Amino acid sequence: MPIKYKVDILSALRSAGYTQNRIRNEKLIGQATLTQLRHGELVSWATISKICELLECQPGDILEYVTESE
């Protein structure tokens, strides 16, 4: 997939004060989605929106398009 994360999302959330326990307890992001993020898999736009809200950033700050070499 040519869209990739620029940053480690979970590390960025942790730096902003959002531990995985806090995220789960406050029901900010589901467990299955946390697993997807841990494995570097892309998540829904709703989750990207929530991450941007929590990190106070734009989608372009955390995602990038990388052309696939043939």
Side-chain angles (χ1 to χ4, degrees), residues 10-44:
L10 294 178
S11 290
L13 286 168
R14 196 170 22 259
S15 295
Y18 294 98
T19 63
Q20 289 190 35
N21 284 334
R22 179 178 177 191
I23 291 169
R24 277 189 290 249
N25 291 341
E26 295 180 17
K27 297 181 179 165
L28 301 172
I29 299 173
Q31 181 59 43
T33 305
L34 287 173
T35 300
Q36 286 178 294
L37 290 169
R38 193 173 303 114
H39 292 113
E41 298 172 7
L42 295 177
V43 295
S44 72

Side-chain angles (χ1 to χ4, degrees), residues 1-7 42 62-70:
M1 169 125 309
I3 296 180
K4 307 218 183 280
Y5 294 110
K6 288 182 179 180
V7 297
L42 295 177
I62 59 174
L63 298 171
E64 67 180 333
Y65 175 81
V66 179
T67 56
E68 294 185 48
S69 56
E70 298 181 34

